[in-house]
Amino acid sequence: MKTTLFILLLSISLQAETTSSDIIRFSGGTTIQPIIEKIAVPYEQTNKESLYVEGGGSEVGLQKVMNHSSDIAMIARNLSEEEKSRFAYMTIAIDAVAVIHHKSQPIKNLTKKELIGFYDGSITECQNSGCECSNLIIISRKIDRATLATFEKYSGLKSPKRKNLPPDAKLIRGDAWEAESNINTLLWVAGLKGAIAIVSHAEAIRYEQMGYPIRISEIENVYPSPETIKDGTYPIQNDLNLVWNKDNLKVERFIGWVKSGGMDSSITELGFVVVER
Amino acid sequence: MKRSYYTLWLPTLITSIMVVALFWAMHIFLHHNLAEMIQAHKHSQELTKKIEKMVSSTLNATFLGNEKGFLKTVELSNQIHDDILLIKKDNMYDTDSLFRSYEQLYKKLISAVSYTSENRLGDAKVALEEVESYSNNLEMQMSGLNNYFSQREKEVERTLFIIMILSGGLLVFIALFNGFYLIPRQVIRPLEEFAEALKGSEEKYRIVADWTYDWEYWLDVDKSIAYISPSVERITGYTPNEFMQNPSLLVDIIHPDDTPNWSKHVSEAHLPNRPEEDAQEVEFRVVRKDGAIIFVDHICRPVYTHDGIYMGVRVANRDITQKVAILDELKEKNRLLDTLATTDGLSALFNRRYFDEALIKEVEYARRTANALALVMCDIDYFKLYNDTYGHQEGDKVIKQVSDVLKATFSRTIDVVARYGGEEFVILLQATPPAEACKLVELARENIVKLGIKHKGSKVAPFVTMSFGVVSCVPDVLSNGDRLLTQSDKALYQSKKNGRNCTTLLEC
């Protein structure tokens, strides 16, 4: 084990960050990351720019755009009015926050009350929900993750890591694990039988189809499908936005390509819902 | 014996239950401790390898950036999860700390993966360093867990050894208790006593049987001799051993004239399926070894067990030779008595009592057969004078001589010649009409004359003569015995009136 670890650490150390003026740099939400990674090759074959993608979360992506270390931020949440006025943006798709658990847990449906109970720690005996609580692990997300923001908006709970919270704020339980990315969340849930987590619906679908032992729960008896997400029946959903500085002309060709529908098929293939433009 | 039987099996049952319970307890102990502990130990040993394998697999998948490669990680993690749960479920070890350590390792490992996938290589490097730290911590815990199981294994083996010693000791105790105390006291001694009692009983029975005066034997189902009493030698002259060696001797010594009777008896009586109480009896003669012939009374009956199984025939033979001889003698004496009762002692003719009975019978017979019955009454002429002249002894001689003549003359077996009293005689002649009767009577009278016995006092002749009165007819209602007597007496009187030494015939 130690040998493998050493080799990996060495390989990581030897990697160098690549920068170039012909590169469009993406950073932000890992929910949108697969879309960009998927279109990168076909885009580069017909255009002179290369696409460089990194995660880090929606808030990190926004910060990098603001300080010009990234060209486009991948924001997997609804934008505020201030953000809309300050930045150039494009809503490319609608995603949902799926509540997932390990496949061995016999949960089929969760009410909003039960979901909040799991996350605020008020439910510890969860037989009524059908799960086995002996090794219950609640997986939340880092505060810079859009998925958390969407969940907070739906549940009314707040991450205890957030600053300047009002005294009466209802908090997510302190021992909840905080996942960085979607893959982080998915691997935790798939590898730990007591885990319950929130994750991008499209990513959850993709990993479930790959054979990961996870299951997506219904919320208030509604399963997150393209139809229930599009018609708004499924209650926890958010926009997927691309945000860039208005003065960054390097991205115009790419945005034009997107507006022409260049990434729509990839969006659909990855399980997201394309918005009408 | 029944009481002893219960007192035997009750403690044996209790001790057996104790042993079974002990072995059952051992089984439970093994099942819940040793077997599961070994399984848990196996899980813990595999756990270490699986954790190492999972970390390697995850790092390889991360290096290759292969999402599908993480499936192996997930699979191994699930297996590790199950293994820890199994150890926890068996309550063999406090796995909470182990769980936490493993989950922290996994958490950090996947975080490193996550950072790598987001190209946050610096964060990934830090996370992997933490993975190494958690991994070392977990290895230490696994080492502790394995030591714990090794220690428990030794404890279990020690406890198992003690249980084996206790069980063995208890078994040895039960064996010794049963072998040296219980079985001798409850089984062997009563059996010995029973055997002695049986032996004594058999001895008594044999003594009784052997001292039986009768000749007894027992024929088995296959007709062989099961037993024969020593008294057979006294009765037959042959020893019991001779019969045992040659069973056919039982038949060979039977008198040839009695063999058919014996065969008939055997074919009827010496058979199974006959009632036990149905004794059959037969008498036969036996030719003794010394050639003497004896009479034997043979009684036999079938023998059955309590369950109704046929066991053969039991026989009692009794020597009745003396009894037969006494009976023969008695018959002779009875016959003599009968003779004395019906015979006149002087003349050897039938006496008057016999005549009176015969008269009734002969009259009835003649009436039934419609034959003429002749009754002759006669006496010696002037016999009183003869006695007076020659004395009574001489008179008796005359009566004897006359009787002989009458008997010789009326010699048919059916003729009845009787002394009626003094010098009077009566004769009954069946199926003899008057003419025939007269001829015979005349012949008798002449034969008397021919005797030529001197009789000086007779006024008829110088020798003894007799007068006869005869009646002969087929008797009817009126002519009964008395009538015939009266008429014959009249006829005799008439002969005397006619000068004696003559015969007078009258009708009935």
Side-chain angles (χ1 to χ4, degrees), chain A residues 24-29 31-37 39 51 53 58 61-62 65 71-79 83-84 87-93 239-246 251 254-259 263-264 267 275 277:
Chain A
I24 300 174
R25 293 166 299 175
F26 290 81
S27 63
T31 303
I32 304 173
Q33 189 177 351
I35 302 174
I36 305 303
E37 286 172 346
I39 63 163
L51 306 183
V53 188
S58 296
L62 198 58
V65 167
D71 296 310
I72 297 176
M74 302 175 287
I75 309 297
R77 62 170 170 76
N78 296 343
L79 297 173
E83 289 167 335
K84 285 180 181 176
F87 299 103
Y89 72 96
M90 180 182 180
T91 302
I92 58 170
D239 295 339
L240 302 183
N241 297 295
L242 297 180
V243 176
W244 64 95
N245 287 311
K246 290 180 179 175
V251 302
F254 175 76
I255 294 302
W257 180 79
V258 172
K259 285 180 178 174
M263 64 163 54
D264 288 356
I267 290 170
V275 293
R277 285 183 287 271

Side-chain angles (χ1 to χ4, degrees), chain A residues 174-194:
Chain A
D175 62 349
W177 292 15
E178 292 180 338
E180 296 280 351
S181 59
N182 284 320
I183 188 172
N184 192 168
T185 308
L186 290 160
L187 287 176
W188 278 353
V189 173
L192 302 170
K193 291 189 172 181

Side-chain angles (χ1 to χ4, degrees), chain B residues 193-243:
Chain B
E193 288 172 2
F194 179 71
E196 283 175 12
L198 188 63
K199 190 178 175 186
S201 177
E202 282 182 352
E203 196 65 31
K204 284 176 189 172
Y205 169 76
R206 186 168 288 282
I207 288 168
V208 170
D210 288 353
W211 279 90
T212 301
Y213 190 76
D214 292 341
W215 157 28
E216 294 194 353
Y217 60 90
W218 188 329
L219 288 179
D220 217 332
V221 179
D222 61 356
K223 307 295 182 190
S224 62
I225 299 171
Y227 169 79
I228 187 163
S229 63
S231 53
V232 69
E233 189 172 3
R234 178 182 57 78
I235 295 172
T236 67
Y238 296 99
T239 64
N241 199 34
E242 287 177 286
F243 282 95

